[in-house]
Amino acid sequence: MTLYEVLGVETTASRADMRSAYVRLARTFHPDFHADANPEVFAYAQNRMREVNVAWQVLSDEAARHAYDQRLGLRTD
């Protein structure tokens, strides 16, 4: 799964679109919203939030996104 898939955006998404996706997913999976959930649901939310945070960390930074895109073969420059 690519970082774009984690955020649910296209590889051509703008930073604003990625931020909107990040915020939506954070509101869905942040562990604070699942504190009273059963342990399995809480663990799933924690894991998804970690994935979402990593995706946002890489894709929100222009240089890191460029390097990531090159590794995926999306950029040839």
Side-chain angles (χ1 to χ4, degrees), residues 53-71:
N53 282 333
V54 168
W56 173 244
Q57 183 179 15
V58 172
L59 297 177
S60 67
D61 178 278
E62 194 61 38
R65 180 180 182 182
H66 184 80
Y68 180 72
D69 286 353
Q70 283 185 319
R71 284 194 305 270

Side-chain angles (χ1 to χ4, degrees), residues 5-58:
E5 291 169 332
V6 169
L7 291 182
V9 298
E10 297 293 324
T11 57
T12 57
S14 68
R15 188 175 193 283
D17 290 339
M18 288 187 292
R19 185 181 186 288
S20 293
Y22 170 76
V23 169
R24 178 181 45 80
L25 291 167
R27 288 181 179 150
T28 301
F29 294 112
H30 196 283
D32 288 351
F33 296 119
H34 299 281
D36 295 331
N38 71 53
E40 290 173 5
V41 170
F42 185 77
Y44 176 78
Q46 276 187 314
N47 289 333
R48 281 290 286 139
M49 194 66 224
R50 278 190 205 104
E51 292 172 346
V52 167
N53 282 333
V54 168
W56 173 244
Q57 183 179 15
V58 172

